[in-house]
Amino acid sequence: MKKNQEKKVEEKLSNCKYIFVVGGVISGVGKGVTASSIARILSDKGQVVTAIKIDPYINIDAGTMNPTEHGEVFVLDDGDETDQDMGNYERFLGVDLSRTNYMTTGRVYQSVIQRERNLEFNGACVQVVPHIPFEVIHRIEEARDKAKADVVIIEIGGTVGEYENILFLEAARMMKLRQPNNVFFVMVSYLPVPGNLGEMKTKPTQHAVRTLNSSGIQPDLIVARSVLPLDDRRKEKISMFCNVPKDRVISAPDEGSIYDIPINFEKEGLSNIICEAMGLTCSIEKNENAKKWEKFAKATHSYNGELKIAVVGKYFSTGDFTLADSYLSVIEAIKYSAYTSGKKPVLTWISSIDFEKDPKTIKNLSQYDGIIVPGGFGSRGIEGILMAVEYARKHKIPYFGLCYGMQMMIIEYARNVLGLKDANTREVNPNSKAIVIDVMDDQKEKIEKKNMGGSMRLGAYPADIKKGTIAGNAYKTSVISERHRHRYEVSNEYKDSLEKAGMIFSGMSPDGKLCEIAELSTSKHPFFLGTQFHPEFKARPLSPHPLFSAFIKACINNKETK
Ligand code: GLN
């Protein structure tokens, strides 16, 4: 019996389908969202889908990169610090991924070199080709096995023609040669509409396909990204010159909401095209999740009123684009809870340094229905953040602190309620007389040895939740699991006095040593809560995060009673 089952799994795995998503012309046109949307529509057709992101840089993970340049660092349950696209996959697919779903050039080389040191190559000369592509294939298969997937979507970072991603394309080419019917190539290309011409141009896409051809790969389908929908003439041109059947040229114009993209793909019949091309048996009926998805996408267009939310942080560069990328999961988490409650969230990014420069501008915060302080590192702008926390507490504006935002909440309370004027975090002032946020014991050595990459308290940890608190009422369960990324924590030396002064630690690590959630009683403030973890990493469109939803509810009440 067991043997039979094993055989079935083996058969399934050898029949697995691989869809590579590559970029043409320019990056940043939604390759990640395209890959996520394909994953979504195939999973709605009853397929078990998993997704892999390949980042062609040398970094072992995204944890050491500056988020204002590279975008958010997305943390997985197992603590892997990855690219923000991994967040899109999890949110679109509604699954938890793991480190097998993420690879970088650094990671691939590191394991090949390690295996060479372990004498695993039996005296052979270890070469860039074929050993690097072999390792890439091995990792893809590992992710497939872990998910027991019918379909693996693999997004290759960058655009075709770059040196950096060439070995990943080589791996894809080899896979196609081995299993021609199981490998499918999607190219996400960009069609510019130059202002002076007012006409959509296909030539850059033609060149991109030729470049991909020179790696031995022919795209099976082209997703044509542009400001406008593709007309019939352009579809014909791309089909003719790029050697792709016309119905496999998919129009993907800019959309107001990324959640419309899977729906638009289905209007073009994309899942059927892929299923037919790869011999996948797909269900015809819309499943429950597809219906729920449509409902959520609709809610992003029809709402009854807006909520004004201030996101206060220590921003290095302003400009909505940079910030939107650095805090992508926070923005998405707010959207899920707000739209599900029938409200459109309108976010304003406020640099805390402005409050430091001109303290009276703090009053401007009164116009907001709620205030969020997201995660952060270092000392710049923290006095301004503390001014914002104090304002939110005293004026009873709903306040939600995420990681650094929770630590700031504790410092503010220690300073202004406990009267410890010098209170601070060790990260900012190691000479403070009241270090209320201290470094975790196991972190001290790592910091001394400059062992900084991938060494924070990372990934999912459980916490016990106190009944009858804001957290307890929101989660409706006594044990939770949330994702972390920090080195510092509330110092136990000050826990008692903080509690005596009214701070409630409504979430604690199971051993009772680490404070995970802090809040004030609703008799004192409608919503003043901070989490040592990052709840935003677990918010999904079809299951909004309970704490974000509780915060949004408080914002709605605040707005209605103003
Ligand atoms: N800098 C703080 C720490 O390391 C908070 C980190 C964060 O907000 N992710 O503990």
Side-chain angles (χ1 to χ4, degrees):
M1 182 66 190
K2 202 165 166 228
K3 269 237 159 80
N4 253 351
Q5 262 175 355
E6 272 169 21
K7 218 172 137 205
K8 264 195 192 151
V9 172
E10 248 169 52
E11 242 168 53
K12 173 180 155 150
L13 295 182
S14 65
N15 244 330
C16 177
K17 310 293 179 192
Y18 307 89
I19 301 175
F20 284 91
V21 180
V22 299
V25 184
I26 52 172
S27 62
V29 292
K31 188 152 42 84
V33 172
T34 301
S36 308
S37 300
I38 295 175
R40 170 86 240 163
I41 55 177
L42 290 177
S43 114
D44 283 344
K45 292 279 168 145
Q47 302 298 322
V48 179
V49 184
T50 195
I52 296 175
K53 173 75 198 277
I54 295 179
D55 271 331
Y57 42 67
I58 303 285
N59 304 57
I60 296 294
D61 57 43
T64 52
M65 276 184 285
N66 183 348
T68 51
E69 271 161 40
H70 187 75
E72 170 185 81
V73 178
F74 188 82
V75 182
L76 305 180
D77 265 347
D78 64 11
D80 204 12
E81 297 175 279
T82 70
D83 181 79
Q84 62 184 34
D85 278 328
M86 296 290 285
N88 280 329
Y89 301 162
E90 283 202 346
R91 291 187 281 263
F92 273 66
L93 269 175
V95 297
D96 294 327
L97 299 173
S98 75
R99 79 181 57 235
T100 49
N101 295 84
Y102 185 61
M103 78 176 101
T104 66
T105 295
R107 235 169 234 203
V108 171
Y109 271 82
Q110 194 183 43
S111 37
V112 172
I113 293 169
Q114 193 53 54
R115 281 174 46 218
E116 184 272 334
R117 293 289 82 189
N118 297 348
L119 302 179
E120 285 178 44
F121 290 96
N122 296 327
C125 168
V126 183
Q127 295 180 293
V128 168
V129 180
H131 295 105
I132 297 298
F134 281 177
E135 172 64 25
V136 174
I137 295 171
H138 168 72
R139 283 171 173 258
I140 293 172
E141 288 171 347
E142 219 174 38
R144 170 203 70 188
D145 294 354
K146 183 148 197 223
K148 298 200 172 50
D150 301 317
V151 180
V152 186
I153 314 265
I154 307 126
E155 180 191 348
I156 301 184
T159 43
V160 297
E162 288 169 9
Y163 280 122
E164 278 199 323
N165 56 23
I166 231 147
L167 292 169
F168 297 107
L169 291 174
E170 183 64 358
R173 184 195 64 75
M174 288 175 176
M175 285 181 72
K176 176 87 178 174
L177 181 71
R178 282 186 196 168
Q179 310 181 54
N181 300 327
N182 288 348
V183 177
F184 193 83
F185 288 103
V186 174
M187 178 160 168
V188 182
S189 198
Y190 189 69
L191 287 94
V193 184
N196 56 339
L197 296 177
E199 184 196 328
M200 188 186 286
K201 304 303 279 179
T202 62
K203 197 59 74 59
T205 296
Q206 297 178 37
H207 285 305
V209 170
R210 299 252 156 91
T211 309
L212 187 61
N213 289 161
S214 70
S215 303
I217 294 171
Q218 166 61 37
D220 296 293
L221 185 137
I222 293 178
V223 173
R225 288 279 300 111
S226 187
V227 283
L228 300 170
L230 220 60
D231 59 3
D232 214 47
R233 175 135 172 61
R234 266 10 77 166
K235 272 198 180 180
E236 258 160 27
K237 243 179 153 176
I238 295 178
S239 162
M240 173 73 80
F241 296 121
C242 300
N243 201 19
V244 173
K246 192 172 154 201
D247 68 339
R248 292 199 195 167
V249 180
I250 305 292
S251 169
D254 287 350
E255 283 300 336
S257 157
I258 55 169
Y259 300 98
D260 289 332
I261 293 172
I263 299 167
N264 284 356
F265 277 175
E266 280 307 60
K267 283 189 192 142
E268 301 254 336
L270 187 57
S271 66
N272 280 345
I273 293 172
I274 295 178
C275 288
E276 246 179 66
M278 304 195 85
L280 279 169
T281 11
C282 285
S283 58
I284 302 160
E285 291 284 295
K286 252 187 214 166
N287 71 5
E288 270 317 296
N289 275 346
K291 285 184 204 153
K292 276 193 196 162
W293 188 273
E294 273 175 18
K295 194 171 160 214
F296 174 75
K298 214 165 156 196
T300 64
H301 300 290
S302 53
Y303 33 80
N304 56 31
E306 294 182 341
L307 286 179
K308 285 173 76 179
I309 295 171
V311 188
V312 181
K314 32 160 286 174
Y315 302 126
F316 297 106
S317 48
T318 42
D320 290 353
F321 293 112
T322 330
L323 296 171
D325 260 12
S326 318
Y327 294 102
L328 188 62
S329 296
V330 177
I331 300 170
E332 296 304 298
I334 296 171
K335 279 190 201 162
Y336 305 153
S337 293
Y339 283 124
T340 309
S341 310
K343 301 284 177 203
K344 176 190 168 132
V346 179
L347 304 187
T348 306
W349 302 93
I350 299 177
S351 170
S352 58
I353 293 151
D354 295 346
F355 297 142
E356 293 173 10
K357 283 189 198 141
D358 187 0
K360 50 181 198 311
T361 58
I362 198 76
K363 285 203 303 284
N364 297 344
L365 286 177
S366 66
Q367 59 183 298
Y368 296 99
D369 305 314
I371 297 171
I372 287 190
V373 172
F377 295 84
S379 58
R380 200 163 169 265
I382 82 136
E383 290 304 322
I385 295 182
L386 291 168
M387 289 164 73
V389 179
E390 182 179 1
Y391 191 90
R393 182 172 59 78
K394 291 190 171 157
H395 293 82
K396 301 198 187 314
I397 303 174
Y399 173 87
F400 195 9
L402 312 171
C403 205
Y404 218 20
M406 180 259 212
Q407 298 176 352
M408 293 296 132
M409 200 178 123
I410 299 294
I411 297 171
E412 190 277 330
Y413 210 69
R415 282 190 190 179
N416 299 327
V417 180
L418 290 186
L420 302 167
K421 290 288 164 230
D422 190 34
N424 218 323
T425 160
R426 188 180 289 281
E427 183 175 359
V428 171
N429 181 11
N431 301 317
S432 151
K433 286 189 211 69
I435 295 189
V436 290
I437 305 292
D438 209 346
V439 69
M440 283 181 268
D441 274 344
D442 65 330
Q443 287 292 333
K444 285 182 190 149
E445 207 183 296
K446 290 178 188 166
I447 298 176
E448 263 163 35
K449 288 190 176 153
K450 288 212 160 66
N451 164 18
M452 304 299 261
S455 65
M456 285 187 241
R457 182 174 183 229
L458 287 169
Y461 286 90
D464 293 339
I465 301 294
K466 229 183 228 152
K467 261 195 177 158
T469 58
I470 299 179
N473 294 338
Y475 280 111
K476 296 188 180 65
T477 168
S478 55
V479 184
I480 58 156
S481 168
E482 293 281 5
R483 297 181 188 173
H484 294 247
R485 183 170 188 255
H486 58 108
R487 287 190 203 279
Y488 300 84
E489 54 159 327
V490 177
S491 162
N492 281 327
E493 266 184 52
Y494 292 91
K495 190 172 165 252
D496 277 355
S497 30
L498 283 162
E499 274 176 330
K500 276 194 195 111
M503 189 60 74
I504 301 166
F505 292 103
S506 52
M508 292 296 296
S509 59
D511 64 4
K513 286 190 180 147
L514 303 174
C515 299
E516 302 284 31
I517 307 176
E519 61 179 83
L520 284 184
S521 148
T522 45
S523 61
K524 284 202 173 82
H525 191 290
F527 190 101
F528 192 70
L529 183 144
T531 59
Q532 185 56 82
F533 48 81
H534 290 274
E536 66 269 24
F537 292 141
K538 295 218 1 186
R540 309 266 163 87
L542 303 190
S543 51
H545 193 284
L547 289 181
F548 274 93
S549 297
F551 168 70
I552 290 293
K553 213 168 151 200
C555 295
I556 295 173
N557 284 342
N558 178 28
K559 185 180 167 142
E560 281 168 2
T561 51
K562 248 183 205 167

